[in-house]
Amino acid sequence: MSFTDTIYALASGRGRAGVAIVRVSGPGAVASLEELTGKVAPDPRVASLRNVYRASRKTIIDQSLVIIFRAPESFTGEDVVELHLHGGPAILAAVMEELSGFPGHRPALPGEFTRRAFEHGKMDLTEAEGLGDLVNAETEAQATQALRQMQGELGRIYEGWRSALVSSLAHLEADIDFPDEDLPGGVAAAVAPKVALLKEEINSHLSDGHRGEKIREGLEVVILGRPNVGKSSLLNALARRDAAIVSEEAGTTRDIIEVPMDLAGFPVSIIDTAGLRLSENVIEREGVRRARDRAARADIRLFMTTADAPDIPDEFADLMKEGDYRLVNKTDLVSKRPKTKTAPRLFPLSVKEGEGLDDLLSALEADVTNRLDLSGAPALTRVRHRQALEECVVALDRFDASMEPELAAEDVRLAVRALGRITGRVDVEDVLDVIFGDFCIGK
């Protein structure tokens, strides 16, 4: 990947549209704009209407609004040109063809505009990831979390911790490298409380129930029960479409059926499973095994029985956990309906008649909202963040002010590197700045 190239790509959605935006970034962006339009480039950040010509100058491709963003005040930190064209496929193809003919110009690789923004210090890695999440967000909660991350809320937390550790490391390094200087006594002992406090903060951040990751990927809600209790009918009712086959024949569902949906603005996957029963059929046994496996990993479990046999079968009672939902379906088929207050989260239903579904949905929405609350501090959103933070904590756990200074400093250094990998900022110069700034060595 070379920054000497000028890259270009369609920045808006593909397909026919009223407007399509082609973005060009790099050292030749402004020159190619002037070649395309036959005019001197307009002032930065001023939208100008220009004809876009073919190289022969004999035909016009389109009329376009053009905007220039001069380096470093642009998304990528380079000179950037935007062509706001009409969104016809023929127009876009012609403009791309013309751009490809300019020296040093090539189509952008996937993510290359954002990569250049990172390399030029316009954003850190967490902000770049937030931008990607924002583009892919399908629910309000996903978009809110992604926007907060893109605006740097998460990165500022990690960078604050890294800066604190860099300061501690600098003091330790100075104590080792410059023993003859007039430095504060007991440097390692003075650093120890700061390290302990920071470790506590990171552990608290890690103990978030994977909230941020679940907002990105969605909570799993699994429907469980014996065959023919109405699991597939409930899935269809919640999804508001015929996602699963419904039949009077028991055991219709043999495999996992998963339907993504938006619940109170949060991403949720509703999962229908094979009926839980003992069977000699090889395929059905595999379906039950998969149902058990998915139930063990699910965030929310809905155990469904019927009004004429409301109890959970003993052979599957081991799957029940505190906080699971009990759904008693087909209440329309019995004269005496089950009591609703004999257990928490017990919901009598008639999926066929649509009775009880609103109460169940309201309870699920409240549950999901509580689990994935966005009002607090930003949560970590990726496995790589978690792994780096756990590595940082391991290094800080080893830190001991009474050990050899070189070993103590090495543990802090490893913790700094782990944090730096999250934001993409790992720089020994930071340590040197603190050393010479705090201790004025070399007077």
Side-chain angles (χ1 to χ4, degrees), residues 300-382:
I300 298 173
R301 282 166 292 276
L302 311 179
F303 279 86
M304 178 175 278
T305 57
T306 55
D308 58 345
D311 295 328
I312 299 291
D314 292 339
E315 60 267 34
F316 305 117
D318 62 300
L319 293 173
M320 285 288 293
K321 296 181 181 179
E322 184 178 355
D324 286 345
Y325 290 72
R326 287 283 315 282
L327 312 182
V328 181
N329 191 29
K330 302 187 180 182
T331 56
D332 55 301
L333 300 182
V334 296
S335 56
K336 185 178 181 181
R337 300 192 175 188
K339 296 179 180 179
T340 61
K341 296 183 180 181
T342 56
R345 293 190 173 180
L346 188 149
F347 293 86
L349 301 174
S350 172
V351 176
K352 180 180 179 180
E353 301 297 331
E355 296 179 4
L357 291 177
D358 288 343
D359 291 340
L360 174 60
L361 268 175
S362 295
L364 286 173
E365 288 177 352
D367 192 359
V368 169
T369 301
N370 181 62
R371 289 171 183 256
L372 304 181
D373 181 28
L374 282 165
S375 62
L380 61 91
T381 60
R382 277 174 165 74

Side-chain angles (χ1 to χ4, degrees), residues 179-441:
D180 296 331
E181 295 289 333
D182 185 18
L183 301 177
V187 170
V191 163
K194 299 177 183 177
V195 169
L197 179 61
L198 188 60
K199 183 174 68 174
E200 183 180 339
E201 290 180 9
I202 296 174
N203 277 323
S204 176
H205 184 67
L206 284 167
S207 303
D208 66 345
H210 297 262
R211 175 168 54 96
E213 293 153 279
K214 291 184 184 301
I215 291 175
R216 281 190 70 242
E217 300 166 6
L219 285 175
E220 289 194 355
V221 179
V222 171
I223 308 171
L224 299 161
R226 280 187 164 175
N228 222 25
V229 296
K231 301 186 300 298
S232 297
S233 295
L234 177 60
L235 175 73
N236 291 343
L238 294 176
R240 300 183 186 277
R241 63 183 179 87
D242 291 335
I245 297 173
V246 175
S247 171
E248 295 295 329
E249 181 180 342
T252 303
T253 302
R254 299 290 184 89
D255 205 347
I256 301 295
I257 298 176
E258 189 168 348
V259 177
M261 62 181 293
D262 184 324
L263 198 61
F266 294 93
V268 168
S269 291
I270 306 293
I271 300 167
D272 187 17
T273 60
L276 298 175
R277 68 176 175 182
L278 302 177
S279 174
E280 297 300 321
N281 184 284
V282 175
I283 297 177
E284 191 168 2
R285 284 208 309 271
E286 175 61 18
V288 172
R289 186 198 67 78
R290 294 186 183 188
R292 279 182 161 276
D293 178 67
R294 209 59 185 264
R297 295 186 285 118
D299 301 291
I300 298 173
R301 282 166 292 276
L302 311 179
F303 279 86
M304 178 175 278
T305 57
T306 55
D308 58 345
D311 295 328
I312 299 291
D314 292 339
E315 60 267 34
F316 305 117
D318 62 300
L319 293 173
M320 285 288 293
K321 296 181 181 179
E322 184 178 355
D324 286 345
Y325 290 72
R326 287 283 315 282
L327 312 182
V328 181
N329 191 29
K330 302 187 180 182
T331 56
D332 55 301
L333 300 182
V334 296
S335 56
K336 185 178 181 181
R337 300 192 175 188
K339 296 179 180 179
T340 61
K341 296 183 180 181
T342 56
R345 293 190 173 180
L346 188 149
F347 293 86
L349 301 174
S350 172
V351 176
K352 180 180 179 180
E353 301 297 331
E355 296 179 4
L357 291 177
D358 288 343
D359 291 340
L360 174 60
L361 268 175
S362 295
L364 286 173
E365 288 177 352
D367 192 359
V368 169
T369 301
N370 181 62
R371 289 171 183 256
L372 304 181
D373 181 28
L374 282 165
S375 62
L380 61 91
T381 60
R382 277 174 165 74
V383 172
R384 79 169 191 91
H385 300 176
R386 187 173 297 278
Q387 290 173 339
L389 290 171
E390 289 171 346
E391 183 180 332
C392 176
V393 169
V394 168
L396 296 181
D397 278 336
R398 287 195 304 265
F399 174 83
D400 187 339
S402 63
M403 65 171 53
E404 291 295 323
E406 291 82 2
L407 295 177
E410 179 62 16
D411 286 331
V412 176
R413 184 180 298 108
L414 292 174
V416 169
R417 288 176 180 172
L419 285 175
R421 284 200 302 274
I422 300 178
T423 60
R425 292 173 179 162
V426 184
D427 194 348
V428 70
E429 292 297 325
D430 292 343
V431 179
L432 297 178
D433 288 344
V434 176
I435 289 176
F436 288 94
D438 281 7
F439 297 110
C440 301
I441 294 168

Side-chain angles (χ1 to χ4, degrees), residues 12 24 29 56 107 113 116 126 175 186 273 291 326-327 389:
S12 54
V24 187
S56 64
F113 284 93
R116 291 191 176 198
T126 64
D175 201 21
T273 60
R326 287 283 315 282
L327 312 182
L389 290 171

Side-chain angles (χ1 to χ4, degrees), residues 114 117-118 122-134 145-161 205 216 378-382 384-386 388-389 418-425:
T114 306
F118 167 72
K122 306 300 290 186
M123 60 176 64
D124 66 27
L125 289 182
T126 64
E127 292 167 351
E129 290 168 333
L131 174 59
D133 289 346
L134 186 61
Q145 175 173 271
L147 184 60
R148 293 178 67 182
Q149 184 168 329
M150 189 190 74
Q151 292 176 334
E153 289 191 28
L154 193 60
R156 281 191 289 272
I157 292 175
Y158 299 149
E159 189 59 22
W161 290 339
H205 184 67
R216 281 190 70 242
L380 61 91
T381 60
R382 277 174 165 74
R384 79 169 191 91
H385 300 176
R386 187 173 297 278
L389 290 171
L419 285 175
R421 284 200 302 274
I422 300 178
T423 60
R425 292 173 179 162

